Amino acid sequence: MDSREKILEVARDIFQKKGKSGTRMQEIADAAGVNKALLHYYFKNKDGLFKEVFVDLIRKMLLPLKQQMFQKNLPLEDRIQNFVDGYINSLKENPLLLTFILGELSMNNMPFVPPPEIGEGIIQLGVELKEDEEFKHIDPFQLATTIIGSCVFPFIARPMLIGLGLEKSTTFEEFLEERKKILPQIILSGIKIK
Amino acid sequence: MDSREKILEVARDIFQKKGKSGTRMQEIADAAGVNKALLHYYFKNKDGLFKEVFVDLIRKMLLPLKQQMFQKNLPLEDRIQNFVDGYINSLKENPLLLTFILGELSMNNMPFVPPPEIGEGIIQLGVELKEDEEFKHIDPFQLATTIIGSCVFPFIARPMLIGLGLEKSTTFEEFLEERKKILPQIILSGIKIK
DNA sequence: ACTCGAATTAACCATTTAGTTAAATTAGAG
DNA sequence: CTCTAATTTAACTAAATGGTTAATTCGAGT
């Protein structure tokens, strides 16, 4: 069993749950079944361990975004449908991921340099909107923010939504499934001309 | 000058910036210009101080939501326009608020009991959608999540959006102004029949 | 001026926490 | 089997941190 990998694995979980400053090195060591000094042996200090975990998680978060952003040779309708579907699915597998990253990003103002493909994908979206007579000429960043935000928001705001009365008639799970169906409809009618 | 109030005031700022576990009692005391023991005198312990700050901030966050959710006697078009406009404006005044609350809410799973008006406002939205032949019959929670999420997401994800290329051609400020115009259009066309 | 309670402080204490060091153990090459 | 380097640990230290206590100041009422 690789200790280094084990440490990273549990550190990922704990950091996500409790945030950087809420997490204790001892706690990670215990959970990984190793001595605390070993964390320092491999990662020098808390910052080092955190940074390694953090870039890992950023990558993990961006991967599905990247995958769903780029599907050339498909009509926009299908691409949006696929995006919403695929992205919500991947968020379901890591419900804490987004809140954690966005929270840490806003506290420590860490540098955030995503791979350029995503930004390019958004630009590309704008080009296609301009080319197709069927769609309005909307700023692609506005559109992307709307689409991504609509997918992501339920996960970030889950406790709030539940407090607001969601889950009184449906489960969160059902709500998400319904969302995968309805969101592409709303967005598509929103950007189509008439 | 009321020391108690001063403490709460600076605690609000620091907690929002650094989170609960990232904030030191000493730091708050220094910023408030009082002795650390005074914090314990008034609020018993860190948890007590935090809780008081937190419910204050929750209220502060819910107020504009409540105000913009309830404007009877107006056509849905105007209400959505007003909501987006008013809510984005109020978010601009407290850019850190949302990220902080949602982050803390997901870490410590605090109880979140908003005033019932907001939940009721959402239900009411559903009723009106059903009554009006012009609109699709969309689950009001889905719609509300989309509207609120679309307004809120830029603030939560600001560092990410900037990393993704926003602010290469426009400022964040301009982006928000544009958003206030464009969002109601997208959403309205999204829920209108044809 | 005196009293009494609230506000405020200085000086502590006990724990927790990140980080260090040197020794012990393990694993792999020869 | 042995030597060596990588891995792992026990036992520390120093600093930070939340919290306490006892003493002091302040202000309103008498």
Side-chain angles (χ1 to χ4, degrees), chain A residues 156-193:
Chain A
I156 305 180
R158 178 176 178 170
M160 202 177 91
L161 291 173
I162 288 174
L164 244 39
L166 184 92
E167 288 207 332
K168 268 183 185 148
S169 48
T170 57
T171 65
F172 188 69
E173 169 72 24
E174 288 165 349
F175 178 78
L176 290 178
E177 287 308 310
E178 173 73 5
R179 195 152 188 77
K180 290 197 282 188
K181 286 187 219 147
I182 218 171
L183 205 47
Q185 293 170 20
I186 296 183
I187 290 172
L188 276 170
S189 344
I191 61 174
K192 269 187 187 162
I193 290 179

Side-chain angles (χ1 to χ4, degrees), chain B residues 80-99:
Chain B
I80 289 181
Q81 175 70 257
N82 285 353
F83 178 85
V84 169
D85 222 70
Y87 198 45
I88 287 184
N89 279 342
S90 75
L91 289 168
K92 272 165 75 171
E93 274 159 38
N94 305 287
L96 293 173
L97 190 54
L98 251 292
T99 318

Side-chain angles (χ1 to χ4, degrees), chain B residues 160-179:
Chain B
M160 203 177 90
L161 291 174
I162 289 175
L164 243 39
L166 185 92
E167 289 208 329
K168 269 184 186 148
S169 48
T170 57
T171 66
F172 188 68
E173 170 70 25
E174 289 165 348
F175 179 78
L176 290 178
E177 287 309 310
E178 173 74 5
R179 195 154 187 77

Side-chain angles (χ1 to χ4, degrees), chain A residues 12-13 16 56-65 86-101 151-152 154-156 158 172 176:
Chain A
R12 259 195 297 273
D13 284 356
Q16 280 187 77
D56 258 25
L57 288 178
I58 290 257
R59 200 170 299 138
K60 196 174 175 180
M61 182 208 73
L62 289 176
L63 190 68
L65 197 59
Y87 198 45
I88 288 184
N89 279 342
S90 75
L91 288 168
K92 272 165 76 172
E93 274 160 38
N94 305 287
L96 293 174
L97 190 53
L98 252 293
T99 318
F100 166 72
I101 288 180
C151 291
V152 158
F155 292 91
I156 305 180
R158 178 176 178 170
F172 188 69
L176 290 178

